[in-house]
Amino acid sequence: VPLQWTDVLKDYCDELGITFFTTPYDLNMVDKLDPYVPAFKIGSGDVAWEAMVEKVSRKAKPVFIATGAASMNEVFRTMEVLDYHNLPGICLMQCNTNYTGDIENLKFINLNVLNQFTNLFPDLILGLSDHTPGHSTVLGAIALGARIIEKHFTDSTKRTGPDHAFAMDPKTWKEMVERSRELELSLGKSEKKVEKNEE
């Protein structure tokens, strides 16, 4: 996205009442985007790039970290460089970076990694950066404690491009949100008791 679009996009987002957000993919863009964004994202391709992680950490803003194609050692190193104890609102997102949208990718998403993240980094917000079709991975991640979901969005899945086919469109996005809200309601509390509707 050309940098000169930033002002226009930010103004339009403000007009619509949504949060403008974009991800820097080089070190100079971290400084240029800093005045516009409330948080930073470190994409899967940059999770092991220590200079990027360090530069983002110096901005002292919340950080989303996608961990696709990263080993656990790389996640640990990222946390060290990020100095995550001293930053507000860190979200660690499980991710598989295969962008084919193939249903076979479900067996590689490994949502149970979220349990490991919880044990190793109990103070962090969990998330899912997802490239699979449908709602299964989103619902599973929420059940395992994810509070932030990143999915690709398009106005039409028939468009040409690498991620339109598996992206959510307005209809499926709405369905995903509705199913997620239903799941959140049904998770309830951990206390076992006779409920009012059972009495």
Side-chain angles (χ1 to χ4, degrees):
V1 175
L3 183 62
Q4 59 266 32
W5 290 10
T6 305
D7 283 313
V8 175
L9 291 169
K10 173 72 167 74
D11 289 346
Y12 190 55
C13 287
D14 290 346
E15 184 183 321
L16 296 176
I18 62 175
T19 303
F20 172 77
F21 189 76
T22 186
T23 305
Y25 283 99
D26 67 61
L27 296 175
N28 291 332
M29 287 302 286
V30 174
D31 291 325
K32 290 177 180 174
L33 292 174
D34 187 37
Y36 297 95
V37 295
F40 282 97
K41 180 188 170 192
I42 296 170
S44 292
D46 294 336
V47 74
W49 184 12
E50 291 187 13
M52 174 64 89
V53 175
E54 188 176 349
K55 182 139 191 167
V56 163
S57 123
R58 285 198 302 264
K59 297 301 180 185
K61 288 184 174 180
V63 180
F64 300 88
I65 304 159
T67 61
S71 68
M72 200 62 216
N73 285 339
E74 288 171 322
V75 172
F76 274 120
R77 183 65 188 138
T78 299
M79 291 298 138
E80 288 173 6
V81 174
L82 199 58
D83 193 15
Y84 74 95
H85 293 294
N86 295 316
L87 284 178
I90 306 300
C91 177
L92 189 58
M93 298 188 288
Q94 172 58 353
C95 176
N96 179 277
T97 57
N98 185 297
Y99 277 45
T100 61
D102 191 324
I103 198 75
E104 287 291 306
N105 291 337
L106 290 173
K107 64 185 176 188
F108 300 109
I109 193 68
N110 297 320
L111 291 178
N112 280 313
V113 169
L114 292 168
N115 291 324
Q116 189 177 16
F117 287 168
T118 296
N119 293 332
L120 294 169
F121 310 105
D123 299 327
L124 298 189
I125 300 163
L126 294 180
L128 174 68
S129 176
D130 190 34
H131 311 108
T132 61
H135 308 316
S136 300
T137 50
V138 170
L139 298 175
I142 291 169
L144 292 171
R147 294 297 168 259
I148 292 175
I149 303 296
E150 179 187 42
K151 291 279 273 187
H152 292 228
F153 180 82
T154 182
D155 61 348
S156 172
T157 56
K158 298 189 181 356
R159 286 187 181 272
T160 303
D163 34 6
H164 290 288
F166 67 82
M168 302 276 105
D169 62 19
K171 180 178 183 289
T172 56
W173 189 277
K174 182 180 181 195
E175 289 170 0
M176 177 182 68
V177 172
E178 288 172 347
R179 298 300 80 78
S180 297
R181 295 296 175 251
E182 290 170 358
L183 174 59
E184 288 166 347
L185 279 175
S186 67
L187 287 171
K189 301 179 179 73
S190 57
E191 177 190 0
K192 179 61 183 162
K193 65 177 183 177
V194 178
E195 288 289 355
K196 289 179 182 176
N197 70 337
E198 296 177 305
E199 291 173 358

